[in-house]
């Protein structure tokens, strides 16, 4: 085992570097990703080391960036596109859902689309409008796209490489407020398949299910609950499409209670699908209805009050109490 301590953002940088060293067809594209190294410095020094032909600063035009990447895919490249902020992805939404998601199906399998679209997502950084969004459900509901989200530096390092190696288009959701969180990265191997969920903490009294920025919040809630004698199991989904819910069902059948946590708005958020699937598969094991702790059905609010919008340890523990008292 070879381990290094990295930040989550630094681990993505290292993963991109490893993929580019391994395969010269891997190229990076995005606004300010080259000379600046990205607004979050996730691509820092990559243009210096690999050159402007492989790490390209693009014009400010997301639709054009993704459209160009599709053209590069048809010429044998494996582009990795950065969308600078989550709220900037919408001009490229047409390209992603009308072209990228459908090319393989529409061509009867003749055209593969090994394209990765990196999107920093979520709140918690005190940003202005259009800089804090959680659009993951809009991509999850689009057949033909795969969607993943990393929550730890180890996963960030390996998941970006696994996404690049996939022959399918992958929306890679990066929890921007966790970019500076540090952890151990085992560079000798990923340890788990890209499309699998992971149990981050074992427990017996309820199951917390989250992804991306909410995994750490769920773990903090579990630690707080443990001090009061309540043992919460924490599952990191990692892959949002396809969903790996087998371990979730197994957990809920043991604990009898489930709480789904995400920053995105509640109505038609990913928690709705997960809650429905748990109810279908674990109906006779549930001791209480599945609880959801989410953002509210409103745009992300101004930064001064976003902490009231984002799920917190207290809101998660309130949901656990509701489930336990049912």
């Amino acid at each position: 085992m070879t381990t290094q301590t990295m930040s989550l953002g630094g681990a993505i940088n290292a993963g991109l570097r490893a993929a580019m060293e391994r395969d010269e067809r891997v190229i990076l594209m995005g606004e300010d990703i080259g000379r600046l190294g990205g607004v979050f410095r996730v691509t820092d020094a990559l243009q210096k080391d690999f050159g402007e032909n492989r790490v390209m600063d693009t014009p400010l035009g997301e639709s054009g960036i993704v459209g160009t990447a599709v053209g590069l895919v048809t010429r044998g490249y494996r582009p990795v596109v950065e969308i600078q902020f989550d709220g900037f992805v919408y001009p490229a939404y047409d390209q992603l859902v009308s072209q990228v998601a459908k090319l393989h199906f529409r061509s009867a399998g003749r055209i593969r689309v090994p394209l990765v679209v990196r999107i920093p997502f979520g709140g918690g950084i005190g940003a202005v409008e259009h800089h804090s969004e959680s659009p993951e459900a809009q991509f999850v509901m689009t057949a033909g796209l795969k969607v993943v989200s990393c929550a730890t530096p180890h996963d960030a390092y390996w998941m970006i490489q696994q996404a690049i190696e996939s022959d399918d288009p992958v929306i890679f959701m990066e929890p921007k407020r966790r970019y500076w969180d540090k952890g151990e990265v085992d560079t000798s191997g990923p340890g788990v398949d890209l499309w699998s969920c992971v149990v981050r903490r074992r427990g017996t009294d309820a199951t917390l299910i989250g992804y991306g920025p909410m995994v750490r919040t769920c773990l903090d809630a579990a630690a707080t609950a443990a001090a009061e004698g309540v043992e919460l199991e924490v599952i990191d989904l990692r892959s949002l499409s396809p969903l790996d819910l087998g371990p979730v069902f197994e957990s809920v059948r043991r604990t009898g209670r489930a709480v789904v946590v995400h920053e995105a708005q509640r109505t038609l958020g990913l928690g709705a699908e997960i809650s429905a699937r748990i109810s279908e598969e674990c109906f006779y094991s549930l001791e209480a209805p599945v609880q959801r702790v989410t953002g509210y059905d409103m745009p992300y609010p101004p930064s001064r009050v976003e902490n009231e919008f984002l799920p917190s340890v207290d809101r998660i523990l309130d949901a656990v109490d509701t489930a336990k008292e049912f």
Side-chain angles (χ1 to χ4, degrees), residues 192-207:
V192 66
D193 179 73
L194 179 61
W195 319 114
S196 300
C197 70
V198 169
V199 178
R200 297 291 181 194
R201 180 181 177 123
R202 294 289 180 180
T204 56
D205 295 314
T207 304

Side-chain angles (χ1 to χ4, degrees), residues 212-252:
M214 285 294 99
V215 173
R216 176 175 154 184
T217 308
C218 288
L219 289 170
D220 289 344
T224 301
E228 301 173 358
V230 177
E231 294 298 328
L232 303 179
E233 186 143 303
V234 177
I235 297 181
D236 176 1
L237 288 176
R238 300 174 75 253
S239 176
L240 311 184
S241 179
L243 282 167
D244 175 29
L245 293 182
V248 173
F249 299 151
E250 188 276 331
S251 175
V252 174

Side-chain angles (χ1 to χ4, degrees), residues 3-316:
T3 62
Q4 300 179 37
T5 300
M6 300 183 190
S7 66
L8 189 144
I12 296 173
N13 179 286
L16 290 169
R17 179 179 295 276
M20 295 181 76
E21 289 174 345
R22 192 163 52 243
D23 188 345
E24 64 181 13
R25 298 173 299 169
V26 177
I27 56 176
L28 312 186
M29 305 168 58
E31 299 162 6
D32 298 318
I33 70 165
R35 186 174 301 176
L36 181 66
V39 293
F40 295 104
R41 304 301 185 268
V42 172
T43 53
D44 188 43
L46 294 179
Q47 187 182 75
K48 176 177 68 69
D49 294 340
F50 292 97
E52 295 182 4
N53 289 332
R54 293 191 66 194
V55 182
M56 292 178 277
D57 284 315
T58 66
L60 306 183
E62 285 75 17
S63 180
I65 296 169
V66 173
T68 301
V70 173
L72 287 166
V73 161
T74 66
R75 303 301 295 172
Y77 291 94
R78 306 183 80 87
V80 181
V81 168
E82 177 184 295
I83 303 297
Q84 196 170 72
F85 282 91
D86 34 32
F88 299 173
V89 73
Y90 300 112
Y93 191 71
D94 179 25
Q95 294 279 7
L96 291 169
V97 302
S98 299
Q99 306 300 330
V100 172
K102 295 177 171 60
L103 270 174
H104 183 64
F105 184 82
R106 191 165 62 215
S107 67
R110 290 189 296 272
I111 299 176
R112 302 307 297 250
V113 189
L115 167 63
V116 176
V117 181
R118 296 179 42 241
I119 306 178
F121 83 119
I125 65 168
V128 297
E129 188 179 24
H130 304 307
H131 291 68
S132 293
E133 303 278 341
S134 291
E136 59 270 22
Q138 299 180 53
F139 298 112
V140 168
M141 69 176 292
T142 302
L145 297 178
K146 293 187 174 180
V147 185
V148 300
S149 182
C150 54
T152 69
H154 176 82
D155 271 357
Y157 176 77
W158 284 109
M159 288 174 70
I160 190 63
Q161 295 181 67
Q162 292 169 316
I164 291 170
E165 291 171 357
S166 172
D167 284 332
D168 295 312
V170 178
I171 308 296
F172 195 88
M173 310 296 294
E174 302 172 5
K176 67 169 83 81
R177 66 164 149 156
R178 306 301 187 201
Y179 273 143
W180 301 275
D181 289 4
K182 292 187 176 180
E184 293 299 308
V185 175
D186 179 3
T187 57
S188 64
V192 66
D193 179 73
L194 179 61
W195 319 114
S196 300
C197 70
V198 169
V199 178
R200 297 291 181 194
R201 180 181 177 123
R202 294 289 180 180
T204 56
D205 295 314
T207 304
L208 303 184
I209 304 147
Y211 56 86
M214 285 294 99
V215 173
R216 176 175 154 184
T217 308
C218 288
L219 289 170
D220 289 344
T224 301
E228 301 173 358
V230 177
E231 294 298 328
L232 303 179
E233 186 143 303
V234 177
I235 297 181
D236 176 1
L237 288 176
R238 300 174 75 253
S239 176
L240 311 184
S241 179
L243 282 167
D244 175 29
L245 293 182
V248 173
F249 299 151
E250 188 276 331
S251 175
V252 174
R253 289 186 183 111
R254 284 189 293 101
T255 66
R257 297 172 176 86
V259 178
V260 187
V261 186
H262 58 67
E263 286 189 18
Q265 290 78 3
R266 180 183 179 91
T267 300
L268 293 180
L270 197 59
E273 174 67 19
I274 296 168
S275 298
R277 299 273 289 275
I278 291 173
S279 296
E280 290 169 356
E281 296 291 332
C282 307
F283 182 81
Y284 292 106
S285 300
L286 285 169
E287 300 291 341
V290 179
Q291 304 295 308
R292 285 181 286 165
V293 182
T294 70
Y296 299 106
D297 287 340
M298 59 178 286
Y300 267 73
S303 59
R304 261 191 279 182
V305 294
E306 72 174 346
N307 284 338
E308 304 301 320
F309 174 89
L310 300 172
S312 64
V313 167
D314 285 343
R315 286 177 61 195
I316 293 171

